[in-house]
Amino acid sequence: MKLTIVGTGYVGLVTGTGLANLGNDVICLDVDKTKTDVLAKGELTIYEPGLGEIFKRNLKGGRLKFTDDAIKAVQESEIIFICVGTPSNELYEADLTAVEDVARAIGKYMNGYKIVVNKSTVPVGTADLVKSIIKENQQKEVDFDVVSNPEFLREGAAVKDFENPDRIIIGTDSEKAEEIMTSLYRSVARTDRPIMVTDIKSAEIVKYASNAMLATRISFMNQLSYLCERTGGDIKEVAKGLGLDSRIGPRFLHAGLGYGGSCFPKDVKALISTLKKHDCDSDLFEAVHRINEKQRSVAVHKLKSVLEINESTVAVWGISFKPKTDDIREAPALHIIRNLQNLGATIHAYDPAAVKNAKEVLDGVRFFENPYETIRDSDALIIATEWDEFRNLDMRAVKVLLKKPVIIDGRNIYDPEEMRKLGFQYAGVGR
Ligand code: NAD
């Protein structure tokens, strides 16, 4: 099939590459010409495990193309995926400016039947909005369908998730669009993954329900972590006991520094604003959000109780919002670093993939090439992201390099007993 992907960020680039790898002809359109030029030259603009190899192969094979020419991108394909960003605005709403711009361009340039697929995370009712914008902008009447096909990939495992999704949700009110979309995804469904066809509005809500559920589990554990700290319980043991219940399961039960990233924070906020817009209560999700905001300060609070932060040097390991990605949007580490700088600390930082992005948004931070160099002569270490490479380091060397043996383990990757035995002043979360 001939496909157009609009937006070449984490979702668009992985989806476009994945669909090209299944044999489709894919054109990726972005307003950012620098990005499309770099991609067309065969260089990746994001760090995503496993993406490089299939990206290069499909680009070379001519199945994957990049352009900033909207007319060509709209006219050459029958299916157009909208994968642009939908960030939060100050009212907590999803900012739909980019989605609306794309809808206008599609309406203006369409030259035959198109399926317009909303893959961006958008509030319920957005398919109707996109439909009306396309109609308003059509130069002559041309038939089209708008489909909701929310994306569930996880950064850091996005290629695997594309190839092996838990489910594919297709929200549509058109038999023709249903047939074409299910045939497009047939090869993925070959792996026994269900394609669920449903109405458009339910599909739109499923995406927010999924992210809000995962965010709720994280805030749930973070709130319980305080009870563990007050009473001598261990949140990891609690999570294990809880997760063994087959009705609950073990995933997303980790206490820590709160959720970050480009999805959970903005999607929980957008769900709150959508519920309010429709005169529905949003208390549960407001609490989830509030708990998360509070959790972002936990590491600094813990550090304050053992160290005079002003004029100290604090090392931070991990800047990305989670391991295996270079994405730093809403990363707890950014909040922690800025907070510490405001309190007068000097920051030394290390991340295996996110330093380039971090340099663009952080001032006055000294970045290092490896975790050991980062902590040399620092007064304390904060672990903000649980990259695998931090799990098995030589902690005796860490103790020697640190000026004071203070570790705030914001992701509970070390064993508190072992750390104390090694002579660290160690604090995890909820343990
Ligand atoms: P991103 O910010 O990485 O990429 C968005 C891209 O869209 C950018 O390259 C930008 O230049 C481009 N763009 C903006 N306006 C445009 C326009 N008018 N025409 C063409 N291109 C335009 O965003 P992302 O992380 O890929 O997320 C995209 C959407 O998918 C969001 O709605 C997000 O919530 C959702 N989503 C993201 C993830 C994730 O893990 N990142 C997972 C599931 C769903």
Side-chain angles (χ1 to χ4, degrees):
M1 288 187 193
K2 291 197 161 187
L3 312 173
T4 289
I5 305 285
V6 188
T8 57
Y10 290 85
V11 168
L13 192 55
V14 171
T15 307
T17 306
L19 288 167
N21 199 40
L22 293 173
N24 300 291
D25 282 324
V26 179
I27 306 180
C28 298
L29 169 73
D30 204 294
V31 277
D32 184 344
K33 187 171 172 357
T34 335
K35 218 181 229 187
T36 50
D37 284 349
V38 169
L39 289 164
K41 270 194 258 157
E43 283 167 45
L44 275 183
T45 43
I46 56 169
Y47 169 81
E48 185 58 51
L51 184 62
E53 198 263 320
I54 50 170
F55 167 77
K56 288 210 169 92
R57 188 154 33 83
N58 285 284
L59 192 70
K60 211 169 152 198
R63 284 180 299 277
L64 185 60
K65 295 194 178 101
F66 294 91
T67 184
D68 65 334
D69 179 349
I71 301 180
K72 184 172 157 220
V74 169
Q75 297 191 343
E76 284 193 9
S77 299
E78 189 177 31
I79 310 181
I80 303 170
F81 288 83
I82 304 180
C83 303
V84 296
T86 49
S88 258
N89 66 18
E90 63 286 354
L91 299 172
Y92 277 24
E93 299 159 334
D95 179 347
L96 297 178
T97 312
V99 173
E100 290 166 4
D101 286 349
V102 177
R104 265 189 290 276
I106 295 172
K108 207 161 140 198
Y109 302 133
M110 67 197 290
N111 54 340
Y113 175 76
K114 308 277 170 197
I115 298 177
V116 178
V117 182
N118 273 345
K119 195 169 253 315
S120 295
T121 302
V122 289
V124 55
T126 304
D128 290 343
L129 175 72
V130 166
K131 212 179 268 181
S132 66
I133 294 176
I134 293 176
K135 268 205 181 123
E136 274 164 30
N137 285 276
Q138 283 186 332
Q139 312 292 303
K140 60 173 192 288
E141 210 177 307
V142 182
D143 193 21
F144 68 97
D145 285 303
V146 176
V147 166
S148 167
N149 171 218
E151 181 53 60
F152 299 98
L153 63 76
R154 297 160 300 164
E155 287 175 21
V159 174
K160 257 195 254 160
D161 286 346
F162 176 86
E163 287 168 354
N164 246 325
D166 286 342
R167 76 298 210 191
I168 292 158
I169 309 265
I170 297 172
T172 179
D173 53 10
S174 145
E175 268 177 37
K176 181 174 176 183
E178 175 182 338
E179 203 183 304
I180 296 175
M181 289 301 291
T182 42
S183 107
L184 173 68
Y185 280 122
R186 200 179 298 132
S187 52
V188 182
R190 193 173 37 94
T191 54
D192 288 338
R193 302 296 162 167
I195 297 183
M196 175 179 152
V197 179
T198 181
D199 64 280
I200 294 174
K201 294 207 163 120
S202 302
E204 291 175 326
I205 295 173
V206 168
K207 175 62 197 177
Y208 284 96
S210 305
N211 278 0
M213 171 66 88
L214 297 171
T216 300
R217 286 171 73 108
I218 294 170
S219 283
F220 179 98
M221 295 313 290
N222 281 333
Q223 186 144 75
L224 279 178
S225 73
Y226 291 88
L227 184 62
C228 290
E229 287 185 8
R230 285 287 158 86
T231 58
D234 180 341
I235 195 72
K236 278 202 132 174
E237 291 298 300
V238 174
K240 195 170 162 195
L242 180 63
L244 285 169
D245 186 325
S246 60
R247 294 167 301 177
I248 297 171
R251 301 181 68 188
F252 278 82
L253 294 180
H254 301 292
L257 302 175
Y259 54 78
S262 67
C263 292
F264 290 5
K266 84 168 169 66
D267 292 347
V268 170
K269 286 196 275 183
L271 182 57
I272 293 169
S273 96
T274 307
L275 284 160
K276 287 195 165 145
K277 196 171 137 203
H278 292 277
D279 288 326
C280 303
D281 285 339
S282 56
D283 326 17
L284 174 63
F285 307 114
E286 286 180 51
V288 167
H289 173 61
R290 211 171 42 242
I291 293 165
N292 197 60
E293 292 279 292
K294 178 177 171 190
Q295 206 62 19
R296 302 198 302 178
S297 308
V298 151
V300 177
H301 273 299
K302 286 179 187 282
L303 194 58
K304 262 187 188 165
S305 67
V306 290
L307 189 78
E308 174 56 54
I309 292 178
N310 189 22
E311 296 189 3
S312 294
T313 298
V314 181
V316 177
W317 281 355
I319 305 169
S320 57
F321 83 93
K322 67 172 180 181
K324 297 191 186 143
T325 180
D326 61 349
D327 196 345
I328 56 164
R329 289 177 283 185
E330 295 281 327
L334 298 184
H335 183 79
I336 291 167
I337 289 171
R338 289 188 182 122
N339 220 335
L340 289 170
Q341 286 177 321
N342 287 338
L343 293 168
T346 299
I347 305 296
H348 289 183
Y350 169 74
D351 188 282
V355 168
K356 184 166 166 270
N357 287 339
K359 280 183 176 165
E360 285 172 17
V361 299
L362 289 171
D363 293 322
V365 174
R366 240 184 109 188
F367 294 97
F368 290 80
E369 303 264 306
N370 79 61
Y372 295 112
E373 283 309 311
T374 316
I375 56 175
R376 190 187 291 280
D377 295 330
S378 292
D379 297 290
L381 164 64
I382 294 179
I383 293 140
T385 316
E386 65 280 30
W387 282 91
D388 278 344
E389 71 174 74
F390 303 149
R391 291 181 190 273
N392 276 327
L393 292 177
D394 179 351
M395 297 314 283
R396 285 194 176 79
V398 169
K399 175 116 187 300
V400 171
L401 288 166
L402 275 171
K403 207 152 73 186
K404 296 184 186 130
V406 176
I407 296 186
I408 309 296
D409 179 359
R411 299 296 178 182
N412 288 340
I413 62 176
Y414 301 123
D415 180 67
E417 256 332 285
E418 271 176 36
M419 289 298 118
R420 281 171 206 139
K421 269 193 206 141
L422 283 167
F424 286 105
Q425 239 178 308
Y426 171 90
V429 178
R431 313 183 78 187

